[in-house]
Amino acid sequence: MRLRTSYRQILSISAPIMLGSAAQNVVALSDSVFLYHLSEEDFASIGFVGVFYLVIAAIGYGFSRGGQIMIARRAGEEALEEVGRTFYSMVYFELALAVVMFFIMQYGCYYFFGLFVNSEVVFTKSLEYLDTRSWGVFFSYTGVAVIALYTGVARTTFIIVDTVILGIVNIALNYGLIFGHWGLPAMGIAGAGLASTIAEIVAFAVFMVYIFFDREAHRYRLFKLPNVDLELIRQQYKLALPIVAQSFVGLGSWFVFFGIVENLGERELAITNLVRMVYLILSIPTWGFASGVNTLVSNFIGQRKRQAVVPIIWKTAKICWLTTMIITLPVVLFPHELLYPLLGGADMSLITEAQPVFYVLAGILTAFSIGSVYFNGMAGTGATFFGLIIQTICAVVYLAYIYIVVNHTNLGLPWAWASEILYWIVMMGIVLWYMRSQRWHGLEV
C-alpha cells in the first residue's frame, strides 16, 4: 500500500489510531473516575498503581512498535506475503513477555512498591488492584500486536470499533464490580482491576472475529501459522528494544514522580492523579498522530521517498498541535464546568486546588504534541537506538529537576509538573538536530 503526504491521508490513518492507541488511557480513565466516587484513598491509590500498570502496558506496546515499523516497511515495498510472518513473530514474543510480566506483578510488586510507598493504605490497595489486573496482560500484549498489524498496513478503521467496545465493557463492569451493583460483588479497587481485565478479553475476542471475516487477511497470510522464526524475532527485538527502553525510561520517570509526590501526602497525590487523568484524556490525539506518523515515515522509506519524511512529520505535528489545543483550552479555562459530569459532587475542592496545575498543563500539551510527533517520526526511520539515548538524557534532566523542586524548594505542584515541559523541549531540540543532520538516511529495517 502506497501512502501520500496529504493532510487527508494523515487524518485517515491517525484518527482511528487516536482511539486504538488510547485503549489503556480509556481503561485508566474509567478506573480513576469510578474510584474517585468511592473514596479519596482509592483515587490516590489508582493514581500510583495506574501509572505502574501503564509502564507494564507500554513495554508490550513498545515491542509491538518494532513489528509495526517492519510491517509498514514491507507494505511500502508491497511485499504483503511477509506481513503475516512478521505479525506472528511479534505475537510469539509478546506472549512470552506477557508470562514474565504476569509473574512480576503477582510476586514481585510487594517488594518493589515497598521501596516507593510510605502510605499503608496506598500500598495495600495498589496490590489489591494488581491481583486482578495482572491477568489481563496476556490479552493486552496480544491485542497491541493486532493493532500494530492493522496500523502497519494503514487499515485502522476497525480499531475505533474495538476500542469503543473495550470502553463500554470496562465502564459497565466498573460500575458493577466497584460498587456491587447488578448482583455483582462490591470489590472496590480490586473490582476496577477485574473489570479492566474482562474488558480486554472481550475486545481481543471481537478483533479475532473481525480477522476471521477480513478478506484481506489471506493476502497477509494470517491463516497460516508459521513456525517460530528466531531470526525474525531477533530483528524485531533489536529494532523494538530501544523503543521499549524509551517507554520504560519515560513512563518509569513518571512513576518515580508519583512516588516522590506521594511523600508529600495523600491529598497531593490525589490532586496529581486528577491532573494525570485530565492529561490522559487530552493526550489522546497526540498518541494517535504519533503512531500514525510512525507508519507514514516507514512506508515512505519503503517506497524510496526519503525526501517526503521531514515534510510529513512537520505536517503531522501542526495538525496534532491544533487538534490538541482545540480540546485542551476549554478544559484548562473551565475545569469545574467540564469536569463536573465526570467528577460531580458537593465537594469540588480537588478541582479548585488543581487549577494552577491545569494552566501548566496547556504548556505541557503544546510541547508534548509537537515533540512526540517528531520523536516518533524519527523512530519510523529506524533510529530507535538514538531515540533511547535521547530519552535517557531527557529523563535524567527531568528527574533531577523534580527531585530538586519537590525536596529542596517550596514551589509546589505546578512547578513540579513543569518538568514535563522541560522534558519535551530538550527532546524536541535534539530530535530536530538529528533529522536535519540526515544521519538517518542510511538506516535499514
Side-chain angles (χ1 to χ4, degrees):
M1 180 178 291
R2 294 182 177 274
L3 304 180
R4 302 179 302 277
T5 60
S6 65
Y7 286 109
R8 183 176 180 178
Q9 181 83 82
I10 295 170
L11 281 172
S12 67
I13 293 175
S14 301
I17 303 173
M18 286 181 198
L19 290 176
S21 63
Q24 290 301 329
N25 291 21
V26 171
V27 170
L29 171 63
S30 176
D31 292 348
S32 294
V33 169
F34 281 102
L35 291 172
Y36 173 89
H37 291 284
L38 184 64
S39 74
E40 187 168 308
E41 290 81 9
D42 286 278
F43 186 63
S45 300
I46 195 61
F48 175 79
V49 72
V51 170
F52 174 79
Y53 192 84
L54 280 178
V55 174
I56 297 293
I59 292 173
Y61 181 65
F63 275 113
S64 76
R65 293 293 288 277
Q68 177 186 323
I69 292 171
M70 292 184 69
I71 288 172
R73 191 66 56 87
R74 301 295 90 82
E77 297 166 350
E78 298 188 343
L80 298 183
E81 69 280 356
E82 292 297 314
V83 168
R85 289 181 60 249
T86 305
F87 167 69
Y88 278 112
S89 294
M90 180 169 41
V91 170
Y92 295 151
F93 183 81
E94 291 279 5
L95 285 174
L97 185 64
V99 173
V100 175
M101 292 302 167
F102 174 77
F103 282 105
I104 289 175
M105 286 187 282
Q106 283 286 321
Y107 303 107
C109 284
Y110 178 88
Y111 306 99
F112 182 63
F113 286 175
L115 301 174
F116 293 93
V117 180
N118 292 329
S119 168
E120 185 64 29
V121 173
V122 172
F123 179 80
T124 301
K125 288 183 177 293
S126 295
L127 293 178
E128 287 179 16
Y129 179 80
L130 283 185
D131 187 52
T132 54
R133 187 70 180 95
S134 56
W135 293 92
V137 70
F138 300 101
F139 302 93
S140 172
Y141 277 23
T142 313
V144 294
V146 176
I147 290 174
L149 165 66
Y150 279 91
T151 302
V153 297
R155 295 180 59 227
T156 56
T157 304
F158 192 76
I159 295 174
I160 296 178
V161 177
D162 201 57
T163 305
V164 169
I165 292 171
L166 171 70
I168 291 173
V169 174
N170 185 236
I171 290 170
L173 290 178
N174 265 335
Y175 180 74
L177 290 169
I178 291 176
F179 301 107
H181 296 300
W182 302 329
L184 297 172
M187 299 173 63
I189 194 170
L194 180 58
S196 300
T197 293
I198 295 174
E200 287 184 333
I201 294 173
V202 172
F204 175 76
V206 170
F207 227 132
M208 291 302 98
V209 173
Y210 173 77
I211 291 175
F212 182 79
F213 289 102
D214 181 13
R215 295 180 180 179
E216 295 292 319
H218 291 281
R219 299 181 64 197
Y220 310 138
R221 297 189 179 181
L222 296 185
F223 300 120
K224 181 180 180 181
L225 192 66
N227 295 327
V228 176
D229 189 334
L230 293 179
E231 178 57 28
L232 187 53
I233 291 176
R234 188 194 68 80
Q235 291 176 17
Q236 291 186 23
Y237 177 82
K238 182 179 179 181
L239 180 63
L241 184 60
I243 299 176
V244 175
Q246 293 159 25
S247 299
F248 186 80
V249 170
L251 283 172
S253 300
W254 211 13
F255 177 74
V256 174
F257 172 56
F258 269 72
I260 293 173
V261 171
E262 188 269 339
N263 293 330
L264 298 177
E266 292 177 7
R267 183 67 173 180
E268 285 75 11
L269 184 58
I271 293 171
T272 292
N273 187 36
L274 173 61
V275 177
R276 178 189 73 96
M277 189 174 69
V278 175
Y279 192 3
L280 287 175
I281 299 172
L282 299 180
S283 65
I284 286 175
T286 299
W287 288 112
F289 283 111
S291 184
V293 80
N294 215 242
T295 291
L296 286 163
V297 167
S298 190
N299 187 285
F300 281 125
I301 294 176
Q303 296 180 46
R304 301 186 182 279
K305 294 182 179 179
R306 293 181 183 270
Q307 73 281 1
V309 167
V310 174
I312 199 65
I313 294 175
W314 171 232
K315 283 185 177 181
T316 306
K318 286 190 292 184
I319 196 170
C320 179
W321 175 81
L322 180 61
T323 305
T324 301
M325 287 300 104
I326 287 174
I327 66 172
T328 295
L329 292 179
V331 175
V332 168
L333 296 175
F334 309 105
H336 290 84
E337 292 78 4
L338 294 177
L339 295 180
Y340 185 84
L342 289 177
L343 308 176
D347 182 13
M348 299 290 282
S349 61
L350 205 63
I351 295 178
T352 301
E353 293 180 43
Q355 179 77 69
V357 187
F358 286 145
Y359 294 135
V360 178
L361 195 57
I364 293 173
L365 286 162
T366 293
F368 173 57
S369 61
I370 299 173
S372 185
V373 167
Y374 266 91
F375 183 78
N376 281 275
M378 183 189 73
T381 68
T384 55
F385 183 74
F386 186 73
L388 173 59
I389 295 174
I390 296 175
Q391 193 118 31
T392 303
I393 293 171
C394 294
V396 170
V397 174
Y398 172 83
L399 290 175
Y401 174 91
I402 293 171
Y403 180 81
I404 292 170
V405 168
V406 173
N407 292 291
H408 297 287
T409 74
N410 296 314
L411 294 173
L413 282 178
W415 282 95
W417 271 91
S419 58
E420 290 278 330
I421 300 177
L422 176 63
Y423 178 90
W424 287 106
I425 287 177
V426 173
M427 176 176 289
M428 199 164 17
I430 301 175
V431 170
L432 283 171
W433 167 81
Y434 181 80
M435 293 304 294
R436 289 176 178 174
S437 72
Q438 298 187 354
R439 299 188 179 193
W440 50 276
H441 276 217
L443 298 175
E444 296 293 335
V445 173

